[in-house]
Amino acid sequence: MSVTRAMHSSHWGAFSARRENDRLTIVPFSGDPDPSPLLQNFENVLSHPVRVAMPCVRRGWLENGPGPDARRGADEYIAVSWEDAYALAAKELKRVADEGGPEAVFGGSYGWSSAGRFHHAQSQVHRFLNTTIGGYVRSVNSYSSGAASVILPHIVGDMNEIARRGVSWKEIAQHTEVVLSFGGLALKNSQVASGGLSEHTERGFMQQAAARGTRFISVSPLQSDLPEEAQGEWLAICPGTDAALILALLSTLYQRGWSDESFLARYCTGWETLVAYLNGEEDGQVRDAAWAAAICGITAEKIEALAEQLHGKRTIISVAHSLQRAEHGEQPVWLGLVLAAALGQPGLPGGGFSYALGALGHYGKHHNRVSFPALPQGKNGIDRLIPVASIADMLLHPGEKFHYNGRHLTYPHIKLAWWAGGNPFHHHQDLARLRRAFSKLDTLIVHEVAWTATARHADIVFPATMTLEREDVGGAPTDRHLIAMQPVAQPYGEAKDDYTIFSELARRLGKEQAFTEGRSARQWLAHLYQQMRAKLQDIAVNVPDFDTFWQQGVLELPQTEDGGRLLRNFRADPQHSPLPTPSGKIEIYSARLAGFHYADCPGHPVWLEPVQKPDDAHPFWLLANQPASRLHSQLDFGRYSVSQKREGREVCRMHPDDAQQKGIGEGDVVEIFNQRGSVLACVQLSRQVRTGVVQLPTGAWYDPVDPLADKPQCRHGNPNVLTRDAGTSSLSQGCTGQITVVQVRRYDRVAPAVRAFTPPRISGLKEVQAQCSGRSLSSNSFISPDNAS
Ligand SMILES: Nc1nc2c(c(=O)[nH]1)N[C@H]1C(S)=C(S)[C@@H](COP(=O)(O)OP(=O)(O)OC[C@H]3O[C@@H](n4cnc5c(=O)[nH]c(N)nc54)[C@H](O)[C@@H]3O)O[C@H]1N2
Ligand SMILES: Nc1nc2c(c(=O)[nH]1)N[C@H]1C(S)=C(S)[C@@H](COP(=O)(O)OP(=O)(O)OC[C@H]3O[C@@H](n4cnc5c(=O)[nH]c(N)nc54)[C@H](O)[C@@H]3O)O[C@H]1N2
Ligand SMILES: [Mo]
């Protein structure tokens, strides 16, 4: 019996993979106090039939050539040799770039890909397009924090200073009396951090804080957003209404004389403008607790009691990413900051505002003094951008103007999009609209490890290796462990890593040297490691050479405890450490934002009536939050993810009272629908869900019964069939996928079988396989790390 063990890492934890004959077992990193069950998702995926085995070309594209095609998403595929795939892709990229320049190529390629820093797919795409055709149209910001990342620099400073480098968990556990979190602190979310997370410490810190007497208060439609460890309180709010609640809290603090007027005067601009707004001096509408109660579904008494709980306490306010992933998402973020300021807390130990605490394992952690460098992306020769969530608008409205952060920009005319390491048919909203948008392209090229819905819309599909099939270095700036990621298995079928694919394409475009700089993947790892080592030497820290690190598997890096420094320094000395805002202070009124003249994001924070709210036809809020059983759509076919489904379908949760009214029982298949389409899911009844809310997490692979339908039905449970595709506001144009409104009914027919994990029809697979190396697709043989390179 042969046994091998290799060190590896993922966005949800470090581990060693142990294989015994054909069985793969994942053993969490011994230094991790609270490993994530997501690790189990690796155990069954290596040779799963839904893996992409060969380069494939969409039949319609191969037969008719590049061009808009409404059949994208419903076509079959033809397996081709690597030679043919490279030739087709290189020729097409050259054609598009010759005719339209880099402005015709969209290389945003948003997505989380895998944890390794070198094979980070998005960086590889960017480097490839920069070095071969001189650039590409890029996307800015993220689906995570589209609104927050744009508004925070106007009102306080860079988001990273308020989130990743925000007040640390350690400090909270020591000093904080009240943690008020809008959107909660679910441990399901802090399991994850991009680049890796070798130690899951949130649970422990919450236990410590609670034991010392910290009071945790979670404002959320879901009780489960606050872990039991926190022993906290739940305020069940209607989704999308936190801005009204916070205005009422501010009004109460002000009316009772509890607002910290000296902090507000010394460290902030514009409090008097907001007070005028609270008092209705602008428009006659008083924004007090009674006003807010009618909007957010929390009684006026409870709102006033909450204000009282905060008054005089060392309080930290956190606003989850989710709140700003909604219409006017800038407002609750801005108001969370203002609430912390009105309590006089920013800059005090364990106090103030911490954006998105607990949303990811990065936040509230300490930083490495030196981190592993990113792959250099080269220089993009053009400056054309879209906010990342405007992808469908861009493709559907070329040449049209749009607003973004004080600028008036124009959508480019895109002919070709190149995607590696992301899944837009997971991450984007209104998937029927997204399909129509993608049908406008001449060509879509996708590198994927498996037949996701995005791969099924591509014209050329390159089979990419999974992280377990190659070597890399895992590391994040907030993780003190650097991991030598050693391969566990041979590539599946004909799969190659993204770097090899791009190197081969660059060669065919006459740019191989520019792309590779003459380095193999292993040589890049050693080169990047050496850069980090030199920087460490500059600060008198010696770490072993690359080969020794590789043998060791894990390296511990020195860290610094500088969490919360921006506001701490500002509080200590506002003259010498002003904030990087126009006034140098916290901006409760922003002259700059007012100068943009956006009705949907004016000069001070406001409550704005949303376009989407429940009505007779759509009486429920749908909450499309992050899944507990996987990262986004990654490894949805993995063991743990599948184990959390029911009969192969995603599980949605609703309150038993709502279900009873609809004649829905535990375990029933339901149809959740609105004007954009419908989704089947399996019901779990739960009193942890506020009435009027249905919760369906993201990440079940899109599996439309008829992919070309105007209003598709997803039999698997992907909520993005239902979400609305509109930006947060003219300021940031962020993603608004977190919430929408829907109707729900029991599905009484025989529910169609889920086919998400069955590959599309592929012809010619056998022939190409015979031409190629002849290696059997099923022999996903395991290898030992020693003979991996
Ligand atoms: N309705 C709604 N929608 C949302 C959200 C929401 O709250 N509600 N949340 C949004 C948020 S915050 C985010 S960050 C996005 C996430 O959206 P994405 O980042 O696009 O989601 P992932 O599933 O992580 O996609 C990564 C893809 O890369 C592939 N992959 C992994 N490793 C490799 C590799 O080495 N090479 C290649 N070529 N491919 C690889 C995986 O198989 C997977 O398909 O979703 C957003 N969408
Ligand atoms: N297991 C796992 N963890 C993840 C991810 C994953 O896919 N899987 N994704 C990671 C990524 S990329 C990101 S960006 C973060 C995202 O971090 P978040 O956006 O914060 O995560 P969500 O789970 O979408 O939302 C958190 C909670 O906010 C609540 N909520 C929703 N709408 C509202 C509202 O209007 N008001 C209030 N008060 N609460 C509301 C929901 O009940 C939800 O459970 O998560 C990260 N963590
Ligand atoms: Mo995200």
Side-chain angles (χ1 to χ4, degrees):
M1 185 171 84
S2 72
V3 180
T4 50
R5 192 189 266 274
M7 197 63 205
H8 213 79
S9 187
S10 67
H11 299 302
W12 45 93
F15 56 94
S16 65
R18 186 181 138 91
R19 63 104 178 144
E20 266 170 88
N21 299 326
D22 255 5
R23 240 181 82 79
L24 184 71
T25 316
I26 303 292
V27 182
F29 174 55
S30 57
D32 191 341
D34 187 21
S36 163
L38 265 54
L39 287 173
Q40 294 163 34
N41 278 336
F42 281 123
E43 289 178 356
N44 65 318
V45 292
L46 279 169
S47 42
H48 192 287
V50 80
R51 292 287 308 271
V52 184
M54 318 286 283
C56 287
V57 182
R58 188 172 65 80
R59 180 178 287 283
W61 191 90
L62 199 60
E63 289 175 353
N64 309 323
D69 190 347
R71 285 200 56 76
R72 232 170 240 132
D75 213 346
E76 63 171 38
Y77 285 84
I78 297 170
V80 299
S81 67
W82 274 107
E83 264 324 303
D84 288 348
Y86 287 141
L88 288 167
K91 182 169 163 229
E92 175 60 358
L93 180 62
K94 187 170 180 329
R95 178 190 75 85
V96 171
D98 285 350
E99 288 172 12
E103 287 85 355
V105 177
F106 182 67
S109 190
Y110 183 82
W112 268 56
S113 72
S114 291
R117 295 297 78 193
F118 172 70
H119 289 289
H120 183 243
Q122 201 183 124
S123 307
Q124 296 281 352
V125 178
H126 296 168
R127 182 176 170 86
F128 169 71
L129 293 174
N130 285 338
T131 49
T132 54
I133 61 162
Y136 57 91
V137 175
R138 67 190 203 279
S139 59
V140 294
N141 311 327
S142 64
Y143 275 78
S144 319
S145 54
S149 61
V150 174
I151 194 162
L152 285 169
H154 293 293
I155 58 174
V156 58
D158 187 80
M159 188 184 94
N160 278 319
E161 291 292 332
I162 314 292
R164 284 189 193 217
R165 265 205 168 84
V167 177
S168 70
W169 271 112
K170 187 175 167 193
E171 197 180 312
I172 291 169
Q174 284 169 356
H175 298 283
T176 309
E177 291 174 283
V178 178
V179 177
L180 172 60
S181 177
F182 295 89
L185 296 161
L187 290 170
K188 74 171 169 66
N189 284 357
S190 48
Q191 293 178 77
V192 166
S194 68
L197 180 64
S198 59
E199 296 161 293
H200 293 81
T201 50
E202 280 73 6
R203 191 191 304 272
F205 279 127
M206 279 188 229
Q207 276 164 340
Q208 272 179 41
R212 194 181 46 76
T214 306
R215 187 170 209 165
F216 284 87
I217 305 168
S218 168
V219 177
S220 172
L222 300 184
Q223 187 172 20
S224 51
D225 284 333
L226 195 64
E228 281 178 14
E229 284 72 5
Q231 302 167 28
E233 294 157 50
W234 175 38
L235 280 176
I237 194 170
C238 292
T241 65
D242 302 75
L245 171 62
I246 303 177
L247 286 166
L249 290 169
L250 289 167
S251 170
T252 309
L253 292 175
Y254 179 74
Q255 300 301 341
R256 307 248 172 125
W258 291 340
S259 46
D260 187 335
E261 296 295 325
S262 76
F263 183 89
L264 289 160
R266 182 156 185 225
Y267 294 99
C268 306
T269 64
W271 172 239
E272 58 296 338
T273 312
L274 193 69
V275 168
Y277 175 72
L278 296 173
N279 292 339
E281 287 164 35
E282 285 183 11
D283 56 1
Q285 176 64 64
V286 175
R287 276 97 187 168
D288 60 7
W291 165 80
I295 297 170
C296 61
I298 298 175
T299 63
E301 294 69 42
K302 277 196 181 160
I303 296 174
E304 286 167 352
L306 177 58
E308 199 170 338
Q309 278 179 299
L310 303 176
H311 168 57
K313 294 277 165 29
R314 181 61 51 82
T315 299
I316 194 144
I317 310 286
S318 182
V319 171
H321 283 310
S322 55
L323 274 77
Q324 52 88 67
R325 214 178 296 114
E327 274 183 90
H328 311 129
E330 297 81 6
Q331 304 309 319
V333 177
W334 198 348
L335 284 163
L337 172 70
V338 175
L339 180 59
L343 293 164
Q345 296 295 303
L348 291 175
F353 180 64
S354 179
Y355 173 70
L357 182 72
L360 285 146
H362 302 298
Y363 302 159
K365 294 290 166 65
H366 301 309
H367 272 66
N368 296 329
R369 295 182 66 192
V370 174
S371 278
F372 195 77
L375 174 72
Q377 300 189 356
K379 195 178 155 14
N380 190 336
I382 63 166
D383 182 21
R384 293 298 297 271
L385 62 88
I386 60 160
V388 68
S390 298
I391 171 91
D393 287 331
M394 171 184 76
L395 297 175
L396 291 168
H397 301 284
E400 284 184 23
K401 296 227 162 221
F402 65 96
H403 288 287
Y404 170 66
N405 202 10
R407 301 166 74 183
H408 212 186
L409 301 170
T410 308
Y411 288 124
H413 291 76
I414 298 295
K415 299 288 174 198
L416 182 151
W418 206 303
W419 228 291
N423 188 1
F425 280 84
H426 152 69
H427 67 229
H428 198 62
Q429 287 55 68
D430 194 348
L431 294 178
R433 183 170 190 258
L434 186 70
R435 185 193 65 77
R436 288 194 293 278
F438 273 76
S439 77
K440 305 285 182 198
L441 288 166
D442 281 2
T443 300
L444 173 62
I445 302 179
V446 170
H447 302 196
E448 251 300 347
V449 303
W451 283 102
T452 61
T454 301
R456 290 169 209 243
H457 285 78
D459 299 310
I460 301 176
V461 183
F462 286 117
T465 50
M466 278 187 58
T467 175
L468 294 171
E469 297 161 343
R470 60 187 186 226
E471 48 186 39
D472 210 327
V473 171
T478 48
D479 190 349
R480 64 187 168 134
H481 295 111
L482 193 72
I483 311 286
M485 298 167 64
Q486 294 152 351
V488 179
Q490 299 281 6
Y492 177 70
E494 295 292 323
K496 296 184 193 297
D497 63 62
D498 298 297
Y499 180 67
T500 303
I501 298 169
F502 284 130
S503 303
E504 291 289 334
L505 288 165
R507 178 143 67 87
R508 283 159 181 82
L509 292 159
K511 303 283 187 186
E512 185 183 14
Q513 179 61 27
F515 179 72
T516 65
E517 296 179 26
R519 292 190 191 97
S520 67
R522 167 64 77 94
Q523 285 166 334
W524 269 107
L525 294 180
H527 170 71
L528 295 171
Y529 181 89
Q530 183 49 39
Q531 287 183 342
M532 181 193 75
R533 190 173 178 227
K535 280 198 183 152
L536 282 164
Q537 264 155 6
D538 289 347
I539 56 165
V541 176
N542 286 313
V543 294
D545 64 14
F546 179 77
D547 291 334
T548 312
F549 160 63
W550 203 254
Q551 288 301 314
Q552 264 169 226
V554 183
L555 178 70
E556 196 175 322
L557 297 170
Q559 291 204 311
T560 139
E561 300 202 359
D562 59 356
R565 65 182 180 188
L566 180 79
L567 286 158
R568 195 172 41 244
N569 295 344
F570 170 59
R571 185 176 190 118
D573 190 348
Q575 264 68 49
H576 291 101
S577 304
L579 294 177
T581 58
S583 61
K585 298 181 177 185
I586 293 173
E587 302 224 345
I588 298 175
Y589 176 82
S590 161
R592 198 198 280 152
L593 290 181
F596 293 164
H597 302 291
Y598 297 145
D600 51 5
C601 189
H604 65 75
V606 287
W607 162 252
L608 293 168
E609 199 65 32
V611 171
Q612 294 197 96
K613 50 190 168 190
D615 56 24
D616 289 348
H618 308 105
F620 292 98
W621 281 109
L622 180 76
L623 208 73
N625 63 349
Q626 311 299 314
S629 59
R630 61 189 164 251
L631 171 66
H632 310 141
S633 68
Q634 293 199 26
L635 307 184
D636 188 28
F637 56 108
R639 178 163 293 149
Y640 186 62
S641 178
V642 170
S643 76
Q644 303 300 299
K645 298 178 195 267
R646 280 198 195 167
E647 288 158 37
R649 242 174 285 275
E650 200 59 28
V651 172
C652 71
R653 293 195 297 163
M654 63 191 296
H655 194 280
D657 294 350
D658 287 338
Q660 196 186 17
Q661 272 198 3
K662 291 272 163 192
I664 294 169
E666 173 75 22
D668 283 350
V669 174
V670 290
E671 188 176 16
I672 310 172
F673 60 100
N674 64 17
Q675 62 274 39
R676 287 175 283 277
S678 82
V679 163
L680 301 185
C682 205
V683 166
Q684 185 190 356
L685 302 181
S686 169
R687 293 188 182 274
Q688 297 207 322
V689 181
R690 190 192 200 287
T691 50
V693 172
V694 176
Q695 181 237 341
L696 177 67
T698 60
W701 286 10
Y702 180 44
D703 185 21
V705 174
D706 172 6
L708 303 184
D710 284 340
K711 291 167 64 168
Q713 179 179 66
C714 174
R715 50 202 159 192
H716 189 196
N718 185 318
N720 276 325
V721 172
L722 306 168
T723 51
R724 179 166 168 263
D725 186 8
T728 45
S729 78
S730 311
L731 180 75
S732 55
Q733 305 287 5
C735 162
T736 59
Q738 178 79 197
I739 49 179
T740 191
V741 290
V742 295
Q743 179 59 284
V744 184
R745 65 181 162 224
R746 203 175 60 219
Y747 191 77
D748 285 330
R749 280 170 284 159
V750 179
V754 175
R755 299 185 53 81
F757 305 142
T758 309
R761 274 189 53 178
I762 303 170
S763 52
L765 199 60
K766 293 236 159 54
E767 293 85 326
V768 179
Q769 199 183 330
Q771 276 169 33
C772 295
S773 61
R775 211 188 314 151
S776 154
L777 296 184
S778 58
S779 76
N780 182 219
S781 49
F782 293 100
I783 50 171
S784 79
D786 317 322
N787 55 27
S789 46

